[in-house]
Amino acid sequence: MSADLDRLLAEVGAVLLDFDGPVCSVFAGYPAPQVAAELVNVLHRRGIESPPDLVSEPDPLEVLRRIGAAGDYGITWAVEDALCAAERQAVESAEPTPYGREVIVAARQAGMSVAVVSNNSAGAVSAYLTAHRLAGYISPVVGRAYADPACMKPNPEPILQAVYAVGEPPSRCVLVGDSLTDIDGARAAGVRVIGYANRPAKVERFRAAGADVVVTSMRKIADVLVERMDA
């Protein structure tokens, strides 16, 4: 696996990072199920009854997807606004991913472009990066399209936005992500993909989904980049 990772990183000029996972745990201090329940309450306050499976949905992004798919733009905007506010609060207590910072710094010092492509809001991502003194290493930050959850990954569009911004062909970019939506989106965009399996059950799923390389620690990526920087 190390040889495959070495080879992949030698062949790319830009690292695209998912945010929640490779960079930090966004909802470490403000649990995602609590945020999801608050989004469902936006509907309740408007007198809209929610199906039981939505009430019990623990993923706020999935709540947004489900509401957006219903086609009521006013409700989608209200839920989007509530989620953006919750994400801005959440990043204040987000837990940095071990070696996530080292990956970002080493990639830049090795002469590579670094971007973030996230299903979280760009405002929340940028607030985190600024607070953790990482904003100067990363451009662009491509976040969730406002009130248009159909454009979130696995839709390749946000990944392609980042590819265009860094000025590399897709084949010279690699996305590091910790979900199947990252892997599927990367494959659709024609970029390479490293699956960050931060739970053991993800390893085989990511391989089956077509990840070029699967790592269980961001340290693996950081170590290869540091070696490249020193070469």
Side-chain angles (χ1 to χ4, degrees):
M1 185 277 291
S2 178
D4 291 339
L5 182 60
D6 289 354
R7 189 179 309 110
L8 189 159
L9 290 173
E11 294 172 350
V12 299
V15 176
L16 316 179
L17 294 164
D18 179 37
F19 179 63
D20 188 10
V23 177
C24 69
S25 178
V26 173
F27 297 108
Y30 186 4
Q34 178 182 342
V35 176
E38 291 169 0
L39 299 184
V40 172
N41 282 337
V42 173
L43 304 184
H44 294 169
R45 289 196 300 270
R46 291 172 173 249
I48 299 171
E49 186 173 349
S50 305
D53 62 331
L54 186 61
V55 173
S56 60
E57 173 56 56
D59 182 353
L61 292 176
E62 186 59 28
V63 172
L64 179 62
R65 285 187 203 275
R66 292 274 305 277
I67 291 169
D72 187 321
Y73 296 115
I75 295 297
T76 303
W77 292 334
V79 171
E80 173 72 43
D81 288 343
L83 180 53
C84 287
E87 289 170 331
R88 287 295 294 266
Q89 181 178 340
V91 296
E92 295 176 6
S93 56
E95 183 176 310
T97 297
Y99 296 96
R101 179 184 189 88
E102 286 81 354
V103 167
I104 292 167
V105 174
R108 288 294 297 124
Q109 291 180 343
M112 305 170 79
S113 298
V114 181
V116 166
V117 186
S118 177
N119 283 347
N120 298 115
S121 63
V125 175
S126 295
Y128 176 92
L129 296 177
T130 298
H132 290 261
R133 302 184 306 281
L134 287 168
Y137 294 96
I138 294 173
S139 180
V141 170
V142 179
R144 182 177 64 245
Y146 180 80
D148 192 1
C151 287
M152 293 193 297
K153 295 174 292 182
N155 189 318
E157 179 56 31
I159 299 172
L160 291 171
Q161 286 181 36
V163 168
Y164 178 80
V166 299
E168 295 277 0
S171 61
R172 288 265 303 159
C173 298
V174 61
L175 174 70
V176 182
D178 72 326
S179 71
L180 290 174
T181 57
D182 294 315
I183 295 171
D184 292 343
R187 305 312 292 176
V191 311
R192 315 290 288 278
V193 58
I194 298 172
Y196 168 44
N198 48 7
R199 292 197 297 273
K202 292 183 176 183
V203 173
E204 289 306 320
R205 274 187 275 159
F206 288 176
R207 287 175 178 157
D212 293 282
V213 176
V214 178
V215 299
T216 56
S217 169
M218 293 293 286
R219 181 175 184 173
K220 300 284 189 183
I221 304 171
D223 286 348
V224 173
L225 290 171
V226 168
E227 289 176 7
R228 175 175 173 173
M229 181 180 63
D230 293 339

